[in-house]
Amino acid sequence: MSGTLAKESMAAKPVIQSTKASRRVSRRKLFDRCFYRLCQFTVLLALMSLVTLIGHILYEGISWLKIDFFLNFTSRFAEQAGIKAAIFGSVWVLFLTSAFAVPLGVSAAIFLEEYAPKKKWVEWVQINIGNLAGMPSIVYGLVGLAVFVRYFNFERSLLAGSLTLGLLILPIIIISSQEAIKAVPLSLREAAYALGARKWQVVFGQVLPASLPGILTGVILSISRAIGETAPLIVIGALSFVAFTPVSIWDEFTVLPIQIYNWASKPQEEFHHLAAAAIIVLLVLLFFMNFIAIYLRQKYQRYKL
Amino acid sequence: MSASVNKSEEQVILEVRDLDVFYGQKQAIHSVSMQIKKGTVAALIGPSGCGKSTFLRSLNRMNDFVGTAKVTGDVLYKGQNLYGKKVDPVELRSQIGMVFQKPNPFPKSIYKNITWGPKVNGFDGDTDLLVEKSLKRASLWDEVKDRLHDSAFDLSGGQQQRLCIARAIAMNPDVILMDEPCSALDPRSTQGIEDLISELKRRYTIIIVTHNMQQAGRISDETYFFHEGHLVEFGETKQIFTNPSKKKTEDYITGRFG
């Protein structure tokens, strides 16, 4: 398609060429083509670096992806090391974090969009939610350490880690849910009110279902972010050498990114391969979650607005 | 059912007394009074921005949602003041239906579009029956009876608008307010809606805002001409169109402005 476009613009050139105006036109055409090439180049550059990165990781790690890799705990010996504990930890964290952050975040978004009065303090809250969303994740780690680990005495448990990550993604969930709710047209609300619906009926019966695809997309993307976070968990003291699977929220734990970080920082070459293999697992997990987000969006968009 | 009712006893279902509507400092409606008889079609006409939609929306208190809007005066619905202290606007809206300018079906199935309103108002009867009855009255049944569970967005614009009318009908209202219901539709769908309105008026009182004077002439019994927030003139549609008493009305009707 791009090729025909370029050809057409070349073919259309030689109509009248002598005047100043047509020279200006051809200069603009040239500029147009250059800009097009530039855009193409930047996309290519971005894709290339991604492909190189993934290619490198696959090359390094794919041969280390064996059944045992998933069934074993980590070990001093690279040949016996696996990610069983990290996978269990990550799955636990995934569910616990969503259990905290999703209901809270979506409710906050509903309140801010539907119920909050147009007052100064609401505006102030809104601005600060935006600020929180841009905060470096290590700060959340420090908050988690001070509040959950020390003050509430949760120690280095799954609970402390998940609450910390929940805090981290809360502002993102709030903002994306707000955007989704905002996108519901006024005409839909009016239709519902005109039928004699109460406010909560309008919110839960019409506005939420209509904004669900948007909310779900935001939720899943922010949970993917939580799954990939390392820094705040290191701060609150998640372990890197765990030879057991957690059975309750009070247990100590590790997660995939920490395991990767730990292996990648070891001097032995073999552990770098292990890290690459674990990265492949993490990437697959993230791709899978994004796929779910896309699937849900498609599914619920059957009733498009 | 009751074509004879409006002839024998001309019962007033909606009476407006000295209604003013303000948006902040700006006054949109200036002291409008009118009486609407049961079972008739009343058309509100006038150039855009004349306040006819604002007026219509004050009849079921939809202006409550506009933060800056303030309404004074009385709207008596079956003798009860809608702006009285004890009146619950939500309750009221379930008795006065509304159809909007652009078709706005819910992003749900055709079936659920009909049942949602009655359900949130505590309806626990036979929904199948309700859906069939409402769609038949809106002359949509034959077109959609085989795909009641398809999305309402699969329908054409005219069908969507008839679905919105069916949705209003399902609440069994006495009065249906229509805010330029055909302005987003093509001529054929417009005719469908107009035919429907003529059919419905035996059962319901319809107040319709339109910028299309031919439409007002075709479907309404009485016509109210608004200009710059004032009710300039009203009367039987025939008389307004053939023999208006005010210069402004005549100018508008003959197309000299608007």
Side-chain angles (χ1 to χ4, degrees):
Chain A
M1 201 180 107
S2 56
T4 58
L5 224 157
K7 255 178 230 153
E8 266 169 33
S9 56
M10 270 195 281
K13 203 163 66 175
V15 185
I16 314 163
Q17 258 185 332
S18 52
T19 65
K20 214 170 161 186
S22 76
R23 258 206 306 284
R24 202 156 56 224
V25 167
S26 65
R27 210 166 53 225
R28 276 166 52 193
K29 265 185 193 156
L30 182 71
F31 184 79
D32 192 35
R33 253 197 336 267
C34 287
F35 184 66
Y36 168 69
R37 290 289 171 212
L38 186 74
C39 292
Q40 211 175 27
F41 177 71
T42 46
V43 171
L44 214 65
L45 202 68
L47 274 180
M48 290 258 289
S49 46
L50 189 67
V51 167
T52 319
L53 202 73
I54 293 180
H56 179 72
I57 300 266
L58 283 176
Y59 175 76
E60 287 254 306
I62 197 100
S63 58
W64 290 72
L65 277 179
K66 301 187 185 102
I67 302 283
D68 282 348
F69 182 66
F70 295 94
L71 298 181
N72 288 351
F73 291 112
T74 185
S75 159
R76 286 192 289 132
F77 309 106
E79 290 73 23
Q80 292 168 22
I83 52 169
K84 187 176 179 185
I87 285 196
F88 270 82
S90 276
V91 170
W92 268 94
V93 165
L94 189 155
F95 282 106
L96 281 177
T97 306
S98 353
F100 299 134
V102 174
L104 260 180
V106 175
S107 321
I110 292 173
F111 173 77
L112 286 169
E113 278 308 308
E114 300 287 334
Y115 290 96
K118 288 199 166 31
K119 294 263 172 63
K120 262 275 173 300
W121 69 266
V122 176
E123 216 173 287
W124 188 82
V125 167
Q126 188 70 64
I127 289 170
N128 280 296
I129 290 172
N131 287 340
L132 284 177
M135 196 96 94
S137 59
I138 192 111
V139 178
Y140 286 96
L142 292 170
V143 171
L145 180 67
V147 177
F148 302 128
V149 178
R150 301 246 169 88
Y151 185 77
F152 286 115
N153 239 341
F154 293 161
E155 299 185 336
R156 312 160 146 200
S157 64
L158 269 170
L159 185 66
S162 303
L163 283 171
T164 306
L165 287 179
L167 275 190
L168 171 77
I169 61 172
L170 195 57
I172 314 174
I173 292 184
I174 295 176
I175 290 172
S176 59
S177 302
Q178 272 186 289
E179 290 304 320
I181 292 172
K182 241 183 249 170
V184 175
L186 178 68
S187 64
L188 181 66
R189 297 159 201 264
E190 283 190 328
Y193 281 122
L195 289 169
R198 306 239 162 235
K199 183 150 191 171
W200 69 269
Q201 290 172 322
V202 177
V203 171
F204 285 93
Q206 297 295 347
V207 176
L208 268 191
S211 52
L212 201 60
I215 292 178
L216 282 177
T217 310
V219 162
I220 292 175
L221 292 181
S222 46
I223 291 174
S224 324
R225 174 160 178 215
I227 290 301
E229 272 300 341
T230 327
L233 292 182
I234 291 180
V235 172
I236 68 156
L239 305 174
S240 52
F241 196 96
V242 174
F244 55 87
T245 53
V247 290
S248 86
I249 55 172
W250 304 108
D251 287 344
E252 296 182 326
F253 69 105
T254 190
V255 291
L256 275 170
I258 291 183
Q259 191 66 71
I260 293 166
Y261 172 73
N262 178 252
W263 281 337
S265 53
K266 281 187 193 285
Q268 298 95 324
E269 184 72 18
E270 293 86 357
F271 282 105
H272 297 171
H273 289 295
L274 278 178
I279 289 173
I280 296 172
V281 174
L282 186 59
L283 279 178
V284 168
L285 190 69
L286 292 178
F287 279 139
F288 180 66
M289 288 181 66
N290 285 348
F291 173 76
I292 294 177
I294 293 168
Y295 171 76
L296 286 175
R297 199 165 43 202
Q298 297 288 332
K299 187 180 163 202
Y300 284 103
Q301 261 175 5
R302 194 156 77 90
Y303 303 120
K304 254 208 298 284
L305 285 169
Chain B
M1 188 172 99
S2 54
S4 57
V5 167
N6 58 40
K7 275 180 192 161
S8 58
E9 43 166 329
E10 299 215 325
Q11 204 185 337
V12 172
I13 190 159
L14 207 60
E15 184 179 357
V16 181
R17 285 189 204 145
D18 298 324
L19 191 84
D20 294 316
V21 181
F22 300 86
Y23 288 131
Q25 295 296 315
K26 199 176 153 271
Q27 188 164 7
I29 297 288
H30 298 264
S31 186
V32 169
S33 300
M34 67 170 68
Q35 291 188 333
I36 307 249
K37 293 181 201 84
K38 195 173 174 189
T40 59
V41 176
L44 314 182
I45 62 168
S48 24
C50 68
K52 52 196 192 304
S53 286
T54 301
F55 177 76
L56 191 78
R57 287 164 156 267
S58 58
L59 299 182
N60 65 344
R61 293 190 58 172
M62 286 299 275
N63 282 333
D64 288 13
F65 300 114
V66 184
T68 55
K70 199 180 131 238
V71 180
T72 64
D74 299 333
V75 178
L76 300 174
Y77 169 66
K78 293 176 170 174
Q80 188 193 15
N81 186 5
L82 297 187
Y83 287 90
K85 279 215 172 69
K86 281 188 195 143
V87 172
D88 177 3
V90 175
E91 203 76 12
L92 146 80
R93 284 187 209 109
S94 66
Q95 293 169 50
I96 299 182
M98 187 161 209
V99 177
F100 295 84
Q101 198 164 358
K102 242 181 85 195
N104 56 353
F106 296 133
K108 299 179 190 293
S109 68
I110 295 168
Y111 192 94
K112 282 188 181 157
N113 259 278
I114 306 285
T115 57
W116 194 80
K119 271 193 173 160
V120 299
N121 283 281
F123 178 83
D124 59 353
D126 186 345
T127 49
D128 286 350
L129 213 66
L130 177 78
V131 169
E132 185 176 340
K133 198 179 80 183
S134 310
L135 286 172
K136 273 183 175 161
R137 284 200 184 156
S139 4
L140 191 59
W141 174 250
D142 290 331
E143 290 157 68
V144 301
K145 65 179 175 210
D146 300 322
R147 46 178 180 141
L148 291 174
H149 296 283
D150 286 4
S151 167
F153 288 97
D154 294 345
L155 300 174
S156 73
Q159 288 173 325
Q160 286 187 16
Q161 195 62 301
R162 272 181 285 152
L163 178 63
C164 292
I165 294 174
R167 181 174 69 186
I169 289 173
M171 295 295 297
N172 204 19
D174 296 308
V175 179
I176 302 178
L177 310 175
M178 299 190 179
D179 189 358
E180 302 198 25
C182 304
S183 64
L185 303 180
D186 61 79
R188 243 183 92 199
S189 310
T190 300
Q191 203 198 331
I193 303 280
E194 285 183 12
D195 292 346
L196 177 58
I197 290 172
S198 312
E199 243 169 77
L200 289 175
K201 77 169 174 183
R202 286 179 292 136
R203 224 183 270 271
Y204 309 97
T205 308
I206 295 171
I207 305 176
I208 180 170
V209 164
T210 176
H211 58 217
N212 179 338
M213 281 173 291
Q214 285 80 11
Q215 184 171 68
R218 282 191 296 265
I219 60 174
S220 69
D221 302 306
E222 297 200 309
T223 296
Y224 297 80
F225 173 60
F226 281 75
H227 187 249
E228 289 175 355
H230 296 273
L231 175 57
V232 177
E233 186 175 358
F234 66 93
E236 260 182 62
T237 299
K238 218 172 167 185
Q239 179 240 318
I240 292 279
F241 277 89
T242 53
N243 190 19
S245 58
K246 301 257 170 65
K247 178 83 169 53
K248 262 258 139 48
T249 318
E250 193 184 336
D251 286 352
Y252 181 68
I253 284 174
T254 52
R256 232 164 277 166
F257 78 101

